[in-house]
Amino acid sequence: MNWGLILPPLMLAGSNLFMNVAWYGHLKAPKEAIWVAVLASWGLAFFEYWLAVPANRLGSKAYSLAQLKTMQEVFSLAGFVLVAWALFGQKPGLTQLAGFALIIAGAALIFKGN
């Protein structure tokens, strides 16, 4: 098994889950002071960086920078859908799913190579 190919996408997926929770999780506690929300988000972002930075460093040996960024964006969208659904009960509608599918189709072009 080639961990240099597998580990970076897994780490990027995990980092984006942390980041989406950092970006949107505080909305579950709207009465908290903004400074509490910011500190909590920064705390989560710390763990996001502990996954993203090594993922990009390791991944740059197997993937182009465009491919790494594309993976990150796709995982960011997938993480957003999961967080919106799990924390807020907001399921994506058909038009949102269609839009995400178009973004994924565009992302697939990045991996086709030149």
Side-chain angles (χ1 to χ4, degrees):
M1 189 172 295
N2 188 346
W3 289 106
L5 288 175
I6 297 167
L7 207 50
L10 292 176
M11 293 170 74
L12 287 172
S15 76
N16 277 285
L17 278 176
F18 274 109
M19 203 65 220
N20 273 285
V21 173
W23 286 337
Y24 302 107
H26 64 88
L27 298 175
K28 293 293 283 184
K31 293 184 181 181
E32 285 294 333
I34 192 67
W35 67 269
V36 172
V38 169
L39 286 178
S41 293
W42 278 352
L44 287 168
F46 174 79
F47 295 104
E48 183 264 342
Y49 272 78
W50 269 105
L51 289 171
V53 171
N56 284 309
R57 185 164 291 197
L58 178 62
S60 68
K61 294 178 177 101
Y63 299 101
S64 72
L65 293 181
Q67 289 172 328
L68 287 168
K69 182 60 179 171
T70 301
M71 278 188 261
Q72 185 275 324
E73 292 297 337
V74 169
F75 291 140
S76 181
L77 282 174
F80 169 76
V81 169
L82 289 173
V83 167
W85 196 342
L87 293 183
F88 299 96
Q90 295 184 8
K91 296 179 190 177
L94 287 178
T95 55
Q96 289 170 328
L97 290 173
F100 292 153
L102 289 172
I103 292 168
I104 292 169
L109 293 175
I110 302 296
F111 286 87
K112 277 301 234 185
N114 293 338

